[in-house]
Amino acid sequence: MKSWAQVAIPPLAKRFEMPTLNIYDTAHQRVCSVEKKDRYRVYVCGITPYDATHLGHANTYLAFDLINRYLQATGSEVLFVQNITDIDDPLLERANRDGVDWRELATSQIDLFRSDMVALHILPPDHYIGAVEAIPLVVDAITSLENANSVYLLDNDYYFRVRSDSEFGERSHLSQTRMLEIFSQRGGDPNREGKEDPLDALLWLAKRPSEPGWDSKYGIGRPGWHIECCAIALGYLEIDPTQDTSIDIQGGGSDLIFPHHEMSAAQGRLMNGKRFAANYVHAGMIGLDGEKMSKSKGNLVFVSQLLKDGIDPMAIRIALMSHHYREDHMWVSAELTEAKAFLDELQVALSRMEVAPTDVVIEEIISALSNDINTPRALKALKSWIVDTNQGAVGGKPGELSRAMDALLGISI
Ligand code: ZN
């Protein structure tokens, strides 16, 4: 699938040292150092195209954009892959409800998502892969799992035997009761009769009447969600046979920790014998009026609507960055006004001939980002610099600060 337009990253002056990135790892339940490498393999779960792009999505893709930018600024290459679940129950349900063709709904939402990502200055993935185009990879992945004795047939559907992964549960750290609850809330079918374990996940769903299906050696049907991501990640991230971990970062919103990332990780480990990801990184949830922003509650704020209302996309970026990426928080529209005022002040300060020293600000931004992508701390450094500049401090290089902000924070003025 076509990705979106490339976003230029200005070079950062070589004299700035880039410390190793430290990031909170869900599997280890602490901040961990990301091993220094020449090349990173990053997989971030994409949207199901029926409600793009709300601020919860924007917050997630912004978090991984900042991680991507940081790793690239260390001089490493980042191979970045993202999927798009362009066939799944929620998409079909929405298309059915609205009386539109599911393909048209998906295409329109994918187009909207791409234009929102461009406006927000999010670096595009190297491979942007749809579930439908990945079906041959998914079929091969199911075959690998069959070879590992991890697949069984129930009626005409194929299931993944979760207990065949001896490490199942070690990425999400939940009790069995909690796993069952969440599995049921997030598309799982724990109560289906005939399953070996209530948590076993669908790999291939046989075609239902009035639903689409694709021909395969497992019959006409469509892929399960977890195997889709696992197959795309392992298929496109050029796994290094000499390493004992398949990929470096598996990312997404914190609502994907279980079952989605636990299942993909278990399947990936059984497919090639390697630990699936070295780091599991998750962004917080954005709410509105006291509740999590979600399609079922109908309390979504869309990026495209804010842009239509004339909001500067950089102000949206800054408003989101004023919270730490892992922090669940409520969206308050007044923060957009504050972000716009900050952006204007920044622009005025950067246009001065004489500005406060900039090296120290750039170093503080780098240090804040290296410490679990601490954007509130990075923005605070910029605010102090504006105050110092307005008070007549001199000695800085505004062009260099401007380039560093663009490269590291994606703030382009
Ligand atoms: Zn995924």
Side-chain angles (χ1 to χ4, degrees):
M1 185 154 311
K2 181 166 72 76
S3 192
W4 53 93
Q6 194 52 253
V7 176
I9 309 179
L12 193 65
K14 291 261 186 292
R15 67 178 183 286
F16 294 107
E17 253 182 62
M18 298 292 300
T20 307
L21 178 63
N22 292 291
I23 199 113
Y24 186 87
D25 180 285
T26 306
H28 287 106
Q29 299 179 293
R30 61 181 165 82
V31 174
C32 295
S33 185
V34 177
E35 188 194 341
K36 177 74 186 136
K37 282 184 159 184
D38 293 335
R39 187 185 210 211
Y40 292 100
R41 294 172 175 80
V42 179
Y43 185 85
V44 176
C45 289
I47 59 162
T48 298
Y50 67 98
D51 65 346
T53 312
H54 62 68
L55 287 172
H57 295 139
N59 187 56
T60 294
Y61 301 115
L62 170 60
F64 291 96
D65 178 69
L66 292 164
I67 290 171
N68 191 354
R69 286 170 183 275
Y70 191 91
L71 293 174
Q72 291 197 39
T74 63
S76 300
E77 188 195 339
V78 178
L79 183 57
F80 195 104
V81 175
Q82 190 168 318
N83 72 310
I84 180 139
T85 306
D86 57 357
I87 184 65
D88 204 3
D89 291 343
L91 173 65
L92 295 174
E93 283 159 16
R94 175 62 63 94
N96 211 15
R97 189 199 78 179
D98 296 349
V100 292
D101 185 278
W102 65 272
R103 282 159 292 214
E104 280 171 29
L105 175 62
T107 304
S108 67
Q109 294 294 299
I110 295 167
D111 285 345
L112 194 57
F113 181 74
R114 284 194 192 100
S115 59
D116 290 340
M117 292 298 105
V118 170
L120 291 174
H121 228 206
I122 306 283
L123 301 175
D126 297 291
H127 299 288
Y128 189 44
I129 308 297
V132 172
E133 65 184 308
I135 285 175
L137 272 179
V138 170
V139 169
D140 287 349
I142 298 172
T143 306
S144 297
L145 290 176
E146 267 191 316
N147 295 337
N149 193 29
S150 304
V151 180
Y152 64 92
L153 185 62
L154 178 54
D155 301 328
N156 291 316
D157 302 328
Y158 286 82
Y159 275 88
F160 172 60
R161 197 171 266 139
V162 290
R163 299 294 164 190
S164 58
D165 174 26
S166 58
E167 295 179 3
F168 187 77
E170 292 187 9
R171 300 93 180 171
S172 48
H173 306 281
L174 297 169
S175 66
Q176 173 78 5
T177 313
R178 199 67 196 116
M179 281 199 276
L180 283 167
E181 272 171 23
I182 302 178
F183 187 60
S184 172
Q185 290 159 9
R186 297 184 185 154
D189 55 356
N191 300 320
R192 180 168 176 182
E193 260 183 55
K195 287 176 73 173
E196 291 181 9
D197 186 301
L199 291 172
D200 289 344
L202 261 175
L203 292 166
W204 187 259
L205 178 77
K207 184 184 177 319
R208 304 301 198 248
S210 77
E211 285 190 3
W214 288 263
D215 199 10
S216 80
K217 67 194 261 198
Y218 299 107
I220 300 175
R222 56 185 165 96
W225 176 34
H226 317 306
I227 193 70
E228 167 200 336
C229 279
C230 174
I232 294 173
L234 296 184
Y236 283 90
L237 280 169
E238 302 174 23
I239 308 309
D240 181 344
T242 66
Q243 295 186 1
D244 56 10
T245 300
S246 292
I247 69 173
D248 298 293
I249 294 177
Q250 156 81 89
S254 59
D255 54 347
L256 301 187
I257 296 171
F258 191 86
H260 188 50
H261 287 174
E262 187 68 56
M263 296 288 181
S264 293
Q267 291 164 355
R269 198 173 86 85
L270 288 158
M271 275 171 64
N272 65 10
K274 296 173 189 283
R275 185 168 183 232
F276 184 65
N279 304 276
Y280 292 88
V281 181
H282 295 99
M285 297 287 111
I286 310 284
L288 186 72
D289 303 330
E291 289 196 277
K292 183 189 145 185
M293 217 176 263
S294 74
K295 45 262 175 189
S296 50
K297 298 207 175 78
N299 61 345
L300 301 173
V301 177
F302 293 100
V303 171
S304 53
Q305 188 57 50
L306 294 175
L307 297 175
K308 258 187 226 153
D309 294 343
I311 305 292
D312 185 330
M314 285 301 116
I316 302 174
R317 204 171 157 110
I318 289 167
L320 290 169
M321 286 197 293
S322 68
H323 295 266
H324 190 266
Y325 77 94
R326 280 195 288 119
E327 180 200 335
D328 293 335
H329 68 270
M330 291 298 144
W331 175 252
V332 180
S333 59
E335 285 179 352
L336 267 183
T337 317
E338 281 169 34
K340 179 68 174 119
F342 167 67
L343 199 56
D344 292 344
E345 284 171 23
L346 195 54
Q347 198 158 15
V348 170
L350 284 166
S351 65
R352 290 180 191 264
M353 297 293 284
E354 296 282 1
V355 300
T358 43
D359 274 21
V360 64
V361 191
I362 296 170
E363 283 160 8
E364 174 64 5
I365 292 171
I366 292 170
S367 169
L369 292 173
S370 74
N371 187 3
D372 200 19
I373 308 291
N374 191 336
T375 49
R377 194 180 130 199
L379 294 178
K380 195 170 159 215
L382 283 169
K383 283 175 188 159
S384 302
W385 175 82
I386 294 171
V387 171
D388 293 348
T389 295
N390 291 345
Q391 287 175 350
V394 295
K397 298 177 185 161
E400 202 163 76
L401 178 57
S402 204
R403 285 192 293 278
M405 270 173 18
D406 192 346
L408 295 166
L409 297 171
I411 302 175
S412 166
I413 291 187

